[in-house]
Amino acid sequence: MKRRTFLHVIGASGTAAALTGCQRGGPERLIPYLEPEADVSPGATVEYSTVCRECPAGCGMIARVRDGRAFMVRGNPDHPINRGALCMRGTASLQGLYNPDRIRQPLARDTYGRLTPISWREAEDRLDAALTALRGKRAAWIGRLETGAMDRLITSWLAAIAPGSTFLRHEPFAYEPLRAAHARVFGTAEIPQYRIDRARMLISFGADFLETWVSNVEYTRQFSEWRQARVRGDHRARYVFIAPRLSLTGANADEWVGIRPGTEGLVARALEHAVTAAHRSAAGITQAGPLAGAEGMSEIGPLADAAGIPATLVERLGREFAAGSPSLALPIGFAGSGEAAAESEAAILRLNGAAGNIGATVLRGEPHALSAASRYADLIALTGAMNAGDIGAVFLYHANPSYDLPPGAGFDGALARVPHVVSFASFPDETTGSPGETGGHASLVLPDHTDLEAWGEYSPRPDTTGIQQPVVAPLFETRLTGDVLLESARRLGHDLGPARFEDYLKSEHRLDAAAWITTLQAGGLFPGSGTAGEGSRQRAVFRSHGAAALAAGAAGSEAPKRPKGMPRPDRPTDLTRKASAAHKTSGEPPTVIGPPETTLTEQPLSGMERAAGTSVAGPGESGERSGASSPFTAAGGIGRPSPASKPPTAPPNLSTPITPSPIRAAHPTESTTGLFLHIFPSIQFFDGRMANRPWSQEIPDSTAKAVWGSWAEIHPDRARALAVRSGQVLSITTASGKVEVPALISDWVHPDVVAVMIGQGHTTFGRYASGVGANPLTLLDGRADPASGGPMVGGVPVNVARIPVTRPLAVLQTGIRQIGEDVAHGMTIREMDQLPANARGAALRDRNDHDSLYHLHYHPDRHWGMVIDLDRCVGCNACVAACYAENNVPVVGHDECARGREMSWIRIENYVGPASHEAGPPVPVESEFQTAAETRGNSMQVDVRFLPMLCQQCDNAPCEYACPVYATVHDNEGLNLMIYNRCIGTRFCSNNCPYKVRRFNWADNNFPSPLDEQLNPDVIHRTKGVMEKCTFCVQRIRAREIEADSTGHPIRDGEIATACMQACPADAIIFGNLNDKNSEVHRMTRSPRGYAALADLNTYPNVTYLARVRQT
Amino acid sequence: MSSERAASTQESQLPGRVPLHESFREITEHVIDVMQRKPGRGYWLLLLLSLVMMTLGLAAWGTQIIHGLGMTGLMHPMMWAIYIGDYIWWIGIATAGTLTSAILFLFRAPFRAAFSRAAEGMTCIAILTAGLFPLIHLGRTWRFYWVFPYPNERHLWVNFRSPLIIDVWVIATYLVLSIVYFWLELLPDAAVVRDRSTGWKRTIYGMISLGWEGTDRQWKHLLMASTLHAALLTPVIISMHSITSWDLALAIVPDWHYTIFPPYFVTGAIFSGLAMLLTLMIPIRSYFHLERVITVDRLEQLAKIIIATSLMVTYSYAVIYFMAWYRGDPIEEVGYLYQFFGGFKVLFWLFTICNCVFPLTLLFRRLRRNLVWLWILSIIINVGMLAERWCIVAAPLARDYDVYSWAPGTFHVSWVGIGITIGSLGFFLFSFLIFIKVVPIVPLYELRKDMLREAREARAETEAEGLLKARYEELRIKAIETQSGAGGSES
């Protein structure tokens, strides 16, 4: 080799090596803090408060961060919306942050139409070019619902760069019919606040308030309190679910009235008559009274007939609804928003009015932020404008209309005509496109931070503002969209305020530095946030964004922690105190609709439309905010986007004679098979934006218990008629589209309904969501409901045919009925009342050495135990997600789940009680012992027991003696320890576990980078061939014990919370020391309802269940 | 010798006797020739087949070790299925070998000699094969030695309460005892081979025979040792298979938890083991022309034991199903209904027909003595017992207390699980093929002993007859003499 060649080779290889080193820009993050910052000590966990932005509910969230990595999130205990709880979507926000499919740098279309990486400098140039090219043309902003600073920034930015632009706060679940109904009745298009906990009779017309509806954690909390009060004896209210499908929310009801889709309004009107009649008879007014002709009982029969339910049922429900005052009728959810929805919602509102619930359980004046979301019709209008070539640029901001609009809406074609589509997406999606691929519409992608890296704020209600601060440094070359907007405006010569969005946000709130720090620590501005609550004292502000000294001081102080299960000072359990507090905070006397005999007047629909808000607002056109000028004509002077925060300009006219508007064809035209489509949202996917989180896919659906796919729920009668079995593929067609999904035969749907879950069927949404399941929205024709501006979702007639393909679903629950009632106990209220006051649960039957060959374990100091109240558990899977996050539980995918190899340490088992056996069991899972049930539009008792099953930490554990190598042993604190390093994988322990809670690592489960950065550093990552199971979060117990031993501070009750307990929105899980006679867990273990699962096996579990209580 | 030869002419017609028209030398020559003869094409083909099977098994095992136990197709509630089923099946086959050899030794059963060597070899090989399965089924095979209580600086110990540990000990005990017993029985024959071979073979057989010279003292010690070992092995096989059944019966799985499991497993083991013995011996007999040694009568004796054990196994099934119904525990009932009509119905009806119905054909003497049918039936029983072991291991796990976790169907077996099962058969076949070429397949000294004993018995009979005749003659003469004497004196 010549010397020269040698030098060539050396030079080339050296350059190549250097280039490889340059490939991944940014700092090496193996040890994020080689030189720790002032308030960060390596290995110590710091907590930052922020806001969950996974849905418009806006719960307060606290991220646990160690060494610059967020490994766990929990609810902010001070935040008035969620009070420390967090649903599974909130927990899964971690997997948004560390999603391996994130867009990692700016992208632009190359000459082949592929999205290729570019530098930020180039991206800025391209953005400027696009903005300059607008030249007076209108632009459109399609973004998720924002409130406060970001909303105002977008507004003013749009006004600066393209006056007259359209600003759509696009939320697929915008509840247009509900807003329209309120606009019609009260003049303001608002989503009011409901007080489920105050209701003495609860009817939901399909609002799945435990899953996705408006603010599910908040309503789950209220519902849990409602159930607790019922068990305490404060009330004996009933909860009736009236909907075509028994959703998770319905499965928590006492009674289900299965109705055909679209008939909710008829039922509500019939009920209204029944309520009025009941009031009248209570007041001694006979049928011959002056109003008898219009409002007599005679009206009920035809309405009930039209709805297909017996009139007697309506009369009974009406009597109960009138008797239980205040009662509450919750509206129709997304699934029911169809042709008749606005009128049905109005009918439900009138029903509430007739029962005197307005102001008591339906609180107006504090509208939910969703009231400001744009309507579906606005998007359709924008599509028209885009097609007409009026729109010069479209900005996409955390919105994915190509997925969540039906193809019939023509959005894709319209967007293709727009010359510049700038996307601020964090993830590749159908609208934006995917890096390196030609799909999608974005010509320029300026990736935004995910919400855990970003500054922001969100106000779910006018008096509650959560401040969102970054909890980790940005992972990739992304930029905060707020910063991008401010910078681009400055480059184009507009001054919108501070240079960075962080300062913009701060300036919006006009707080001094100290108050700002306090606000950040508290998690936002809301009633009680000024006083230092539990969260605020132990939380630091993100160091790299300033305020180090203050944060360091704040982070050091140890606040006394309060047990989660205990009543909080700011959380009165007394309902009356709560009511008065709510009135106080609302700032205005609640509008009370007077005596029950008065009925509300309806304003004409045109007025409603105006009030409900037309978001496509050109200059001069009146905006959606009553009394306010259009947000797009002026840069400032816009209040919070809460259209109904002001009291209605005119009080509702209550004295006008009743002229009920006729319910239009509530029952759509028959399809050839007489089946109607029912598209329902689910707790894990929401509107589909959560589908790329592996936990959303892997954690089973809360009712069907299926994972990684879509299915069509179909009634057994229909299945017989179609000769279809579970797993066989059904082809569901409408004039607009077709989906092919496996059938799931279920008694939990009305026979006239085929129900498909929304949220799956993505084509471009990362590796976890793409190609999984089907999107039922493609079956819709895309029309907007003229009455409300909402999408036409419910009651679409469909053709269903069996196609000769079998695609078995991965269903994790096999049997729905227990053998011998040993696992999930239930009792009626009457039975509960008859329990002797000194009854002790079966869990506490005397233990003695004679029951076992071996001596009982002795727990001298502490004896950890858990109580799970089945009456509070709603089966929402929040605990499951929290467990996945806390304990590094791997995700294994569809095929493994189909073999029962899912790794979840805690699961919700759905069992159907004997009460519904007789009435016809709702059976979501087809098993070989299934029998069909007749529901046929009649009511049936619902007795579904949701049982969180986790390791019972038995004191006489069958798994322990089975292990040949002592890999699972008992400790002196009652914990059943699992020593992964000692396990050789005989799997005998799993065979011998009657609860079947041990999970085996069938393979090495890896976490694709950067998902591995979410792993909890306190918990080992298990390898193949090793058994694992719930540990009662032993890492948390030990951490606190070590602290207690070193500092001498004794462990107080409730100080140690397992991840599942911390997340639970219903407070169903209580953990603590059974040896402490004053502990909550000790007290609750002694509840008369307490029992041990499979107690006769003599396993002495340390988990005590409290039986579920049903009405009858 | 001449007396033996004379006796054989009449004794050879008696059933169940070794034909004694041959000399010791002829027998020895014949058996040693079977061993030392150059193997034919069939042997090589079988050897190749066994190697292919073993390779498949090793590939499957390697895949399983590298990619984790998920490759086997096992699923959650049925944590044990095919491997533990295979394990119990192989252990059962070993049991029958010991039974044939040791128990029949103690009872001095006359037909034992023909099978004992093959049975002992089968025992040793089967138990080695069986011993592989607890290793194969481990999640972390490379840590298998943790089940032994070896001293270590971290004071880690094993859990003697675990049925698996008891199992480890009993298998180890059984393996050691079986090998020692096999060796003891081999000593005189190894010496015979030693004496007839030269070169390195002579050295090796010399080492194996432990300097056997055939002195009275050695014979005395050998007999004592054999008797003691046979006496020791007999309870060990009972306890061993009982303990294997404890792996299931000591668990709280509803359909495993039966007190009848130990005797049921032992009878099942004998049943399947004798079937395997027939599967092996019938081809060997015809291939090596051992018809003169392994007679149809002796095979018929085995067939009779098979009928008996089949009936016992059927009785055990009946008792278990009856108890499941009679106890009224719904979970037990659901479990067995699931076996009968649910996900396990194929396996269940397969093993029921194979184990309970087909063996009844042996009640007919004609079929019992039809070696082709006997061989086919032995295969049927082997298949049936394997199916039964898989079923009783996996099916109860499919229907447990926790209804949520019930298995949605039968257990799945991937190519890895099947491959390892085939590989174990290959290992067994390979080892047995080697075995019949290095060890006299029929125990020579036992055979000689039998021949001697029978000859002695025959002679004794002859002698007794002679004595009787003589005595009669004597008495008759005496009587005549007396008569004549009296008459003479009178005359």
Side-chain angles (χ1 to χ4, degrees), chain A residues 1023-1061:
Chain A
T1023 55
K1024 71 182 172 208
V1026 167
M1027 193 62 75
E1028 61 183 64
K1029 67 164 190 77
C1030 161
T1031 61
F1032 267 179
C1033 287
V1034 68
Q1035 66 279 5
R1036 295 185 177 201
I1037 299 174
R1038 292 290 180 258
R1040 184 63 190 87
E1041 282 176 352
I1042 290 166
E1043 192 194 327
D1045 289 347
S1046 58
T1047 62
H1049 296 306
I1051 303 171
R1052 281 178 302 276
D1053 184 36
E1055 232 177 342
I1056 300 175
T1058 59
C1060 50
M1061 164 183 171

Side-chain angles (χ1 to χ4, degrees), chain A residues 574-592:
Chain A
D574 184 345
L575 289 166
T576 53
R577 272 169 62 205
K578 200 172 272 284
S580 63
H583 286 183
K584 235 174 284 164
T585 52
S586 70
E588 57 161 323
T591 319
V592 180

Side-chain angles (χ1 to χ4, degrees), chain B residues 38-176:
Chain B
K38 206 175 169 79
R41 190 187 291 168
Y43 181 87
W44 288 115
L45 280 177
L46 269 181
L47 201 66
L48 185 68
L49 175 70
S50 70
L51 280 171
V52 169
M53 288 160 79
M54 270 167 73
T55 314
L56 175 66
L58 282 175
W61 195 6
T63 312
Q64 179 184 309
I65 288 174
I66 291 166
H67 296 294
L69 219 57
M71 297 302 294
T72 57
L74 290 172
M75 47 196 291
H76 169 59
M78 291 174 282
M79 288 293 193
W80 290 352
I82 184 163
Y83 293 153
I84 298 294
D86 287 354
Y87 162 72
I88 297 173
W89 188 69
W90 280 116
I91 286 283
I93 284 167
T95 308
T98 312
L99 175 105
T100 320
S101 171
I103 296 188
L104 298 186
F105 175 88
L106 289 180
F107 286 116
R108 301 284 190 269
F111 59 89
R112 166 188 172 270
F115 308 107
S116 67
R117 174 64 42 73
E120 283 158 26
M122 188 181 82
T123 296
C124 293
I125 298 168
I127 199 168
L128 284 171
T129 317
L132 288 176
F133 278 97
L135 303 189
I136 292 170
H137 111 289
L138 285 185
R140 300 205 293 169
T141 304
W142 50 97
R143 301 283 188 223
F144 75 95
Y145 58 92
W146 284 359
V147 298
F148 299 110
Y150 65 95
N152 58 76
E153 75 265 28
R154 287 196 290 171
H155 302 285
L156 295 172
W157 204 236
V158 295
N159 182 2
F160 283 100
R161 292 190 299 169
S162 169
L164 294 184
I165 284 294
I166 311 174
D167 217 23
V168 166
W169 286 102
V170 78
I171 295 296
T173 311
Y174 182 50
L175 180 64
V176 170

Side-chain angles (χ1 to χ4, degrees), chain B residues 53 57 86 90 129 132-133 419-429:
Chain B
M53 288 160 79
D86 287 354
W90 280 116
T129 317
L132 288 176
F133 278 97
I420 286 179
T421 307
I422 291 175
S424 73
L425 283 167
F427 176 76
F428 181 79
L429 182 60

Side-chain angles (χ1 to χ4, degrees), chain A residues 814 900-901 961 992 996 1024, chain B residues 66 74 76 250 252 400 406:
Chain A
T814 307
R901 293 185 188 158
Y961 78 76
N992 218 24
K996 289 286 172 282
K1024 71 182 172 208
Chain B
I66 291 166
L74 290 172
H76 169 59
L250 284 190
I252 62 170
D400 201 342
W406 277 1

Side-chain angles (χ1 to χ4, degrees), chain A residues 761-785:
Chain A
H762 283 276
T763 53
T764 313
F765 201 33
R767 69 193 73 178
Y768 298 110
S770 301
V772 179
N775 183 5
L777 292 171
T778 55
L779 295 171
L780 306 179
D781 59 7
R783 282 183 304 130
D785 175 18

